[in-house]
Amino acid sequence: MEKLGSAVEGYSEGQRVIAGAITLSGHSYACLCGCGSQDGAGTKHGFKAMGGWKFGNTIDGCQAEYVLVKDAMANLSPIPDHLSDEQVLMCPDIMSTGFSGAESGGVRIGDTVVVFALGQIGLCGVAGAKLMGATTIIGVDTLASRMEVAKKLGADHVIDFKAGDPVEQIMALTDGRGVDVAIEALGTQGTGPEPQRPARGQRLRPPTC
């Protein structure tokens, strides 16, 4: 961090920090409701579709030597000294997007979860589902290298969608029950019933009590 604004507290110049891809204001109605990605600070009701997405959207992106992070106290996170820059590189966007898929799907202890597409975001979706307590995780892809990494991160089964209908393979693995949560981590219509943003989690049946 090169310079701090005069109103920023809790950080020091020269400190290593990361900032998320979604840079919310922290004070709009959307933020206060926990919907930071829909941050509509300055709008009539405080909500704006994808209003929290500013880098590369409503302001310049991050392919520059210096980047201005607005509302710094709501968006900066210190990097612990024992972690290298390379170790935290994926945290602000890739990891957080994958984890949010598991969070949006409401993964519960004992759930069966399927993750469609095992790129970086999908792999983080696998890890996120495992951390939230899923006991059976199924990864769907076709690249052997991705499927191997998915197993290392917690996938119990991996399915090659080119080897047969993935839905039929999932039903066979679950003895016809299906899954509790599906995470679509590609963002194309071909991997979901409708166009979706990457790593959107969906709970497919009500949680049991």
Side-chain angles (χ1 to χ4, degrees):
M1 183 159 46
E2 185 71 17
K3 291 289 184 182
L4 287 174
S6 60
V8 178
E9 299 178 355
Y11 298 92
S12 59
E13 293 180 358
Q15 183 178 13
R16 292 193 309 147
V17 296
I18 56 176
I22 303 299
T23 49
L24 46 86
S25 67
H27 57 74
S28 70
Y29 287 134
C31 293
L32 297 177
C33 290
C35 302
S37 64
Q38 310 303 316
D39 177 29
T43 63
K44 183 176 180 180
H45 299 293
F47 282 85
K48 181 180 180 181
M50 290 308 297
W53 174 30
K54 299 182 178 66
F55 287 139
N57 184 22
T58 57
I59 62 176
D60 292 339
C62 295
Q63 304 299 317
E65 188 175 356
Y66 294 97
V67 175
L68 173 64
V69 181
K70 296 184 177 181
D71 302 301
M73 292 170 63
N75 293 294
L76 297 181
S77 295
I79 300 174
D81 291 338
H82 67 278
L83 296 178
S84 68
D85 292 347
E86 289 76 15
Q87 287 176 309
V88 301
L89 185 62
M90 298 294 181
C91 294
D93 187 7
I94 303 299
M95 186 187 78
S96 57
T97 302
F99 279 23
S100 72
E103 292 174 343
S104 296
V107 175
R108 294 159 57 101
I109 294 173
D111 274 352
T112 297
V113 177
V114 62
V115 180
F116 291 96
L118 299 172
Q120 297 101 317
I121 290 175
L123 291 172
C124 288
V126 169
K130 189 71 173 181
L131 288 170
M132 292 186 72
T135 53
T136 302
I137 300 174
I138 304 167
V140 180
D141 207 284
T142 191
L143 297 179
S145 58
R146 291 181 174 186
M147 293 190 287
E148 188 62 33
V149 174
K151 288 190 287 185
K152 292 179 180 179
L153 291 175
D156 300 281
H157 307 280
V158 288
I159 288 174
D160 183 347
F161 64 82
K162 289 187 176 180
D165 187 311
V167 174
E168 292 180 0
Q169 295 184 69
I170 291 168
M171 296 303 286
L173 283 172
T174 59
D175 195 26
R177 178 180 180 273
V179 302
D180 299 295
V181 178
I183 300 173
E184 193 281 309
L186 186 60
T188 64
Q189 191 166 4
T191 52
E194 59 180 307
Q196 296 181 352
R197 292 191 57 78
R200 179 176 179 179
Q202 180 182 9
R203 174 164 281 280
L204 301 182
R205 59 169 56 90
T208 56
C209 299

